[in-house]
Amino acid sequence: MIQITNKADCCGCTACASVCMHHAITLKSDNEGFLYPIINKDSCIECGLCEKVCPILQRKKQELNPNQLHYKALRIKDTELLNQSSSGGAFIAVASYIIKKGGVICGAKYTKAATVIHGFAETLDEAKKFMGSKYSQSDIQGVFPKIKETLKTGRLVLFTGTPCQVHGLNLFLQKKYNNLFTIDLVCHAVPSPLIFQEYINYCSQKLKSPIESIDMRYKLPYGWGHNNSYRFHLQNGKNLTNPYSVEKWGRLFFSKLIDRPSCHECKFTNYNRCSDLTIADFWDDMNKRPDIYSKEGTSLCLVNTEKGALILNEINDTIALWDISQEESQQPCLLRPTPPNNKREKFWNDYNKRGFKYVYWKYFTDSYYVQFKHMIKHILIILGIWTKKE
């Protein structure tokens, strides 16, 4: 029987609840908005299956040696798809191939209420909803059994998610399926869905229309890089890029105040990967590999299995691909977990006592003077008077 006494021992992958045939496990949100398993002891027969499929428990037993076959940098050749991608279009390049083969894609998308869930796609247009970074933990309840049902029909399935979600799926399935392809992300940490929804609701009020989605790595006007834009898609039909009346979600996401506790002790921030391919931004390639650099974006791609190598070979005509070294591939979240902010406990106490608006202004908002400076700089960049440093 799985019992969570330390919240750092649960990543919220849902494998335990999905595998329990006696429906003895339900998932409930805590006061930070993260899902945790609750055991109905009257229904539980103590078979131990929930422990066997827990990615954190099983990861603790493994030797975490690097398992890469190749290190690659990648950029999709389709300009339209590249512009819509967060970096170099690695996901949609693979997804397009699976769709052409009659397969199914499972990935994270927005609902109309701008919550993040895992869903399924059988067409390229549907799969495009899974493109782009969504900096909130996705609701993945009920997804693993549906994937298993699809795999049993013989159809190809591509699952993409955080490394703990991928490992949770692999353990839930309890056997290898040749028709399953997996892509995991180099993950910074997953922030609270509760705070994300509070942010969505607050920004919807400020922007005078409900938000349907946010492009969190929009490439205009700056191009691909660390200083990316946020584009808000509203129900009234307007699309707003970097509106000055609200803070960018990245300000909250990268604060380290709202991450899931397990992320700060993450067992997946290393080169032992549980997927066929691992994707991320190939950051600073202008310095490391100027022959590769493009303001349009470049993906890092770790090839972890023969299946991953095979699929890259199959899509070779649709992508530009470069060999890189492990040293060139390195980034912080492949080396160590993201540490918590030392004000994390204080933040949550403030939120629980005084609400979202209070913590939003206290922890994430610049002074009016700084906001004015940012606005002027943004205008100068658009006019071509100010050149943004790479």
Side-chain angles (χ1 to χ4, degrees):
M1 180 191 306
I2 196 164
Q3 297 188 40
I4 307 301
T5 57
N6 178 3
K7 289 187 175 182
D9 287 335
C10 177
C11 61
C13 74
T14 76
C16 59
S18 298
V19 82
C20 183
M21 294 180 291
H22 300 276
H23 308 291
I25 302 176
T26 55
L27 295 162
K28 292 188 178 180
S29 297
D30 70 351
N31 64 344
E32 295 181 358
F34 297 112
L35 292 174
Y36 291 93
I38 304 297
I39 310 298
N40 182 338
K41 293 183 180 180
D42 293 333
S43 301
C44 178
I45 64 169
E46 299 191 29
C47 65
L49 196 55
C50 54
E51 294 177 336
K52 292 178 182 177
V53 302
C54 174
I56 291 185
L57 288 179
Q58 297 307 314
R59 192 75 167 171
K60 288 179 178 180
K61 302 175 183 179
Q62 297 175 343
E63 292 186 14
L64 305 180
N65 300 316
N67 61 336
Q68 280 66 56
L69 303 178
H70 310 286
Y71 304 89
K72 302 285 186 179
L74 181 156
R75 187 179 305 122
I76 194 169
K77 293 179 180 177
D78 186 304
T79 304
E80 181 179 350
L81 291 177
L82 178 59
N83 289 337
Q84 294 174 34
S85 300
S86 291
S87 51
F91 159 73
I92 198 62
V94 177
S96 299
Y97 169 78
I98 298 295
I99 292 291
K100 287 178 182 178
K101 291 292 184 179
V104 179
I105 315 298
C106 181
K109 67 176 184 177
Y110 288 107
T111 66
K112 286 194 174 182
T115 57
V116 181
I117 65 169
H118 258 68
F120 293 86
E122 299 188 23
T123 68
L124 186 59
D125 283 343
E126 290 174 341
K128 286 180 180 179
K129 296 177 182 178
F130 305 147
M131 295 174 69
S133 301
K134 300 170 183 71
Y135 295 139
S136 176
Q137 183 165 34
S138 62
D139 188 338
I140 202 168
Q141 294 182 78
V143 167
F144 290 176
K146 290 180 181 178
I147 290 176
K148 189 173 185 177
E149 291 174 9
T150 306
L151 289 170
K152 286 182 175 179
T153 69
R155 294 183 72 180
L156 295 177
V157 175
L158 170 64
F159 176 80
T160 179
T162 61
C164 54
Q165 289 174 336
V166 172
H167 197 35
L169 171 62
N170 289 336
L171 291 168
F172 162 81
L173 293 172
Q174 300 180 65
K175 68 176 241 183
K176 292 186 177 181
Y177 286 84
N178 291 330
N179 52 327
L180 172 66
F181 293 87
T182 56
I183 295 177
D184 78 312
L185 315 170
V186 177
C187 180
H188 172 269
V190 291
S192 165
L194 172 63
I195 296 299
F196 183 67
Q197 202 56 46
E198 290 267 33
Y199 173 82
I200 291 293
N201 294 339
Y202 178 76
C203 292
S204 294
Q205 293 177 3
K206 297 289 286 185
L207 300 176
K208 297 181 172 36
S209 175
I211 295 169
E212 291 189 334
S213 64
I214 307 173
D215 295 334
M216 296 191 178
R217 299 285 301 284
Y218 190 59
K219 291 178 178 176
L220 295 177
Y222 305 117
W224 172 71
H226 293 286
N227 189 23
N228 52 280
S229 295
Y230 286 72
R231 188 166 176 83
F232 292 74
H233 299 274
L234 308 180
Q235 284 187 16
N236 64 10
K238 292 183 179 180
N239 299 315
L240 305 177
T241 303
N242 297 334
Y244 290 106
S245 56
V246 298
E247 291 293 336
K248 297 177 180 179
W249 171 247
R251 189 82 178 261
L252 287 71
F253 174 66
F254 290 108
S255 71
K256 307 175 189 176
L257 292 166
I258 58 174
D259 299 332
R260 191 178 184 102
S262 61
C263 296
H264 300 306
E265 299 180 22
C266 181
K267 307 297 185 293
F268 300 90
T269 49
N270 50 63
Y271 277 89
N272 183 274
R273 312 305 293 185
C274 48
S275 63
D276 297 308
L277 299 172
T278 298
I279 62 174
D281 294 273
F282 184 42
W283 287 125
D284 301 322
D285 59 351
M286 183 174 64
N287 299 316
K288 296 175 182 176
R289 291 291 299 271
D291 57 312
I292 299 176
Y293 177 72
S294 169
K295 287 187 70 173
E296 294 177 325
T298 310
S299 293
L300 169 67
C301 187
L302 307 181
V303 184
N304 308 317
T305 66
E306 292 290 350
K307 195 187 294 185
L310 174 65
I311 202 165
L312 280 191
N313 185 63
E314 290 291 321
I315 66 172
N316 189 58
D317 291 343
T318 67
I319 57 174
L321 200 63
W322 296 268
D323 291 316
I324 60 174
S325 67
Q326 185 191 53
E327 183 180 2
E328 289 168 337
S329 74
Q330 288 182 1
Q331 46 188 273
C333 293
L334 279 170
L335 302 174
R336 67 190 72 87
T338 297
N341 191 313
N342 58 16
K343 295 181 180 179
R344 188 184 191 282
E345 184 177 352
K346 172 64 175 169
F347 168 86
W348 283 104
N349 286 336
D350 284 342
Y351 171 76
N352 289 324
K353 290 178 180 178
R354 308 188 68 170
F356 178 75
K357 288 184 180 180
Y358 176 80
V359 294
Y360 175 87
W361 284 97
K362 178 177 178 178
Y363 291 92
F364 308 119
T365 306
D366 287 323
S367 67
Y368 290 119
Y369 170 72
V370 173
Q371 291 182 50
F372 179 73
K373 282 177 63 178
H374 289 165
M375 180 180 68
I376 296 300
K377 181 179 176 181
H378 179 66
I379 293 171
L380 294 177
I381 288 173
I382 293 175
L383 295 175
I385 299 172
W386 183 299
T387 302
K388 182 178 75 74
K389 294 181 179 179
E390 300 295 345

